[in-house]
Amino acid sequence: MTNSEIIDGEIKDLESQKINYAIAQKLAWLYILKDHSGGPPLPGTNLQNAESDFLQKVRGKSTDIWNVIDELMTTLQITNPRLYDSVIRKL
């Protein structure tokens, strides 16, 4: 079994479960792995044509950027709960 098949299997298993924060976080990591494994890109993950400053900065970066995003989201949750909830719903 290839790494890609393992990742696809894990994604399929997690997507069939009721979503919660822990599952969403695991899926996010798996989507990142899938996106960077050389397989077909996931919808909405083409950073090569990114136009925003943010997407240009994260293009080609390691997954360590998620620590920065997590810190930002934690701050947002405290300072602007409505905006935080809106972002979480969109995710």
Side-chain angles (χ1 to χ4, degrees):
M1 185 174 278
T2 67
N3 287 343
S4 182
E5 291 171 333
I6 293 168
I7 292 169
D8 288 341
E10 290 294 319
I11 289 172
K12 184 177 179 181
D13 288 344
L14 290 171
E15 286 178 336
S16 68
Q17 297 179 29
K18 184 176 179 183
I19 194 74
N20 61 39
Y21 186 78
I23 289 175
Q25 187 175 28
K26 289 176 187 176
L27 279 169
W29 284 110
L30 289 168
Y31 291 146
I32 291 167
L33 286 171
K34 183 177 176 84
D35 186 44
H36 293 279
S37 67
L42 295 168
T45 58
N46 183 2
L47 299 181
Q48 298 306 316
N49 298 321
E51 294 181 20
S52 73
D53 289 340
F54 171 75
L55 291 178
Q56 289 177 10
K57 290 287 184 190
V58 299
R59 181 185 312 133
K61 300 288 192 256
S62 73
T63 54
D64 292 339
I65 63 165
W66 290 110
N67 292 328
V68 175
I69 301 302
D70 183 53
E71 184 178 335
L72 172 65
M73 291 300 293
T74 300
T75 302
L76 188 61
Q77 185 178 23
I78 294 166
T79 60
N80 194 335
R82 287 182 59 197
L83 181 56
Y84 172 85
D85 290 342
S86 177
V87 171
I88 293 299
R89 274 193 306 274
K90 287 181 181 181
L91 294 173

